[in-house]
Amino acid sequence: MTDGKPALRVALLGCGVVGSQVVRLLGEQADDLAARIGAPLELAGVAVRRLGRRRDTEIDPALLTTDAEGLVTRDDVDIVVEVIGGIEPARSLILAAMSRGKSVVTANKALLAEDGATIHAAARENGADLYFEASVAGAIPLLRPLRESMAGDHVHRVLGIVNGTTNYILDKMDSTGASFTDALEEAQALGYAEADPTADVEGFDAAAKAAILAGIAFHSRVTAADVHREGITEITATDVASAKGMGYVIKLLAICARSDDGGSIGVRVHPAMIPRTHPLAGVREAYNAVFVEAQSAGRLMFYGAGAGGAPTASAVLGDIVAVARNRIAKTRGPEESTYADLKVHPMGDTITRYHVSLDVADKPGVLAKVAEVFSTHDVSIQTVRQEGRGDDAQLVLVTHRANDAALSATIEDLQDLDIVRAVASVMRVEGDDTP
Ligand SMILES: NC(=O)c1ccc[n+]([C@@H]2O[C@H](COP(=O)([O-])OP(=O)(O)OC[C@H]3O[C@@H](n4cnc5c(N)ncnc54)[C@H](O)[C@@H]3O)[C@@H](O)[C@H]2O)c1
Ligand SMILES: N[C@@H](CCO)C(=O)O
Ligand code: NA
């Protein structure tokens, strides 16, 4: 089937959770891959940090090297797969590979979100392919559909759950009533959360993915620094229970949306309450799901495993096949598209809704004073109810849509009211069509 075509030679950088599964699949599926590509794939070498380490997959020791730079610049390498992660040395290695015309496949969201401009420019200047499906939502085909299948449509909004670890934690808190700390420990015991869980629980991982998604969806350059980011560490069991009581569930969402006038985009990652009837509410455990809303396509939903060695390697393998086919056809995949050049507007200009719980004194006139603060900022209240009485009273308010800046100024003023003992919780509400 491959007509004796010479093999395409693959250099793998990094052999951890994802890399070891890439090695396994390249071996196990060699015949099918060759048939699909029209030429066999051959592993030219695997760059690792330490030679002697025990690995999940058996690798011919002769393929291992600690000289990643030497490997990517070898003449007999056609395709470089970067699954080391982080900014350096990943960036220098990718640039070195591209400068020699090699095709690059990477899963590195951190690098693409921080300095995608440099990597994409190098791909363009050297006529090299750059594929990165695994960088966002692991196995779920999402970037290729956005870059290619939807290239003829006009995307309004991308909204989703793009971090499995935090979804697992929030799901446990919701289903068992666990505290954040207990749910995090469970996620760590199961291998979802890393020993240092900061990138996940503080929303950095999701923010990098949001930047990549927004850039592709809106044909603009978006970096991690442009993304408004809030993590889930402050969410309490009480927040989760009270959301549940009102028919909501708390999820960490990534939201990339055009402004109402279409002149700018908002890109944000933060926890939000969504109705339990919303399709994203049913995304349990460590799964990911992303909605794309486009002018002609309408609403599309992408769902599946956003992390894990084998699922992520599936996306990497798909990219390897794509770049291999391109090499054989002497063509290239699509370049980065940033022609629309939309700017990211500040979070304060984003239109959101708030759910607010206030510990208040239960006496006449309190509600009127609270309502006055909202009206001063032109924020309209949708519902208000009181829970408890006397010294234990709580006012729970849900607003209509307003500027996030007006909503957060309202909260600041409420904090200063002497009748408000504490602002017990503030959470944005998403996913219902309330104006
Ligand atoms: N694990 C997942 O579920 C997942 C999902 C999507 C994307 N990703 C991305 O895939 C990439 C790899 O993630 P991972 O989970 O496999 O990480 P990992 O830490 O398990 O593997 C990275 C490997 O790279 C090696 N390494 C570090 N510096 C090196 C160097 N200079 N030369 C050679 N090897 C070096 C490390 O020793 C390690 O084995 C990251 O960019 C990550 O964001 C991972
Ligand atoms: N740590 C990420 C997986 C890698 O993108 C997650 O929990 O979804
Ligand atoms: Na993906």
Side-chain angles (χ1 to χ4, degrees), residues 128-335:
D129 256 345
L130 174 65
Y131 278 61
F132 45 100
E133 183 59 71
S135 67
V136 180
I140 306 173
L142 181 59
L143 303 187
R144 202 98 57 84
L146 275 171
R147 267 217 298 186
E148 300 183 28
S149 320
M150 300 190 72
D153 210 327
H154 182 80
V155 175
H156 295 301
R157 192 163 78 129
V158 179
L159 165 111
I161 295 167
V162 294
N163 182 269
T165 305
T166 47
N167 199 57
Y168 183 87
I169 292 170
L170 291 172
D171 183 43
K172 279 297 141 197
M173 291 175 76
D174 183 74
S175 59
T176 68
S179 68
F180 169 77
T181 315
D182 289 346
L184 170 61
E185 272 174 22
E186 198 178 326
Q188 283 172 319
L190 287 167
Y192 292 126
E194 314 235 343
D196 176 2
T198 313
D200 291 319
V201 298
E202 296 291 0
F204 290 102
D205 175 81
K209 292 166 178 168
I212 295 169
L213 282 172
I216 295 176
F218 304 123
H219 301 271
S220 298
R221 172 142 310 124
V222 180
T223 69
D226 297 323
V227 182
H228 174 86
R229 177 192 51 80
E230 295 170 36
I232 64 162
T233 54
E234 312 268 288
I235 293 173
T236 63
T238 313
D239 293 333
V240 174
S242 104
K244 203 171 182 174
M246 293 176 61
Y248 288 89
V249 59
I250 298 174
K251 296 289 192 188
L252 182 70
L253 298 183
I255 304 173
C256 319
R258 285 182 199 271
S259 58
D260 287 348
D261 67 5
S264 62
I265 48 180
V267 190
R268 52 193 165 113
V269 166
H270 56 71
M273 290 172 41
I274 57 172
R276 296 186 93 82
T277 49
H278 192 279
L280 286 180
V283 178
R284 307 284 309 272
E285 306 208 307
Y287 282 94
N288 285 190
V290 178
F291 271 101
V292 179
E293 298 170 8
Q295 193 165 292
S296 309
R299 281 187 172 184
L300 306 173
M301 184 171 176
F302 299 82
Y303 172 86
T312 306
S314 160
V316 171
L317 261 288
D319 281 356
I320 294 175
V321 169
V323 302
R325 286 172 172 161
N326 289 347
R327 286 189 89 89
I328 294 215
K330 301 202 180 340
T331 179
R332 297 183 49 209
E335 284 182 8

Side-chain angles (χ1 to χ4, degrees), residues 345-351 402-406:
H345 58 243
M347 185 61 194
D349 293 351
T350 302
I351 306 294
N403 259 10
D404 202 78

Side-chain angles (χ1 to χ4, degrees), residues 67-116:
D67 180 12
E69 172 96 34
L71 177 62
V72 298
T73 51
R74 259 166 53 182
D75 286 342
D76 66 333
V77 166
D78 304 295
I79 298 167
V80 170
V81 177
E82 184 275 309
V83 279
I84 292 174
I87 307 303
E88 286 296 347
R91 175 172 48 200
S92 303
L93 293 169
I94 289 175
L95 295 176
M98 284 177 169
S99 72
R100 284 160 181 82
K102 320 219 184 273
S103 309
V104 171
V105 172
T106 177
N108 195 330
K109 73 215 83 164
L111 174 58
L112 289 168
E114 180 168 312
D115 195 15

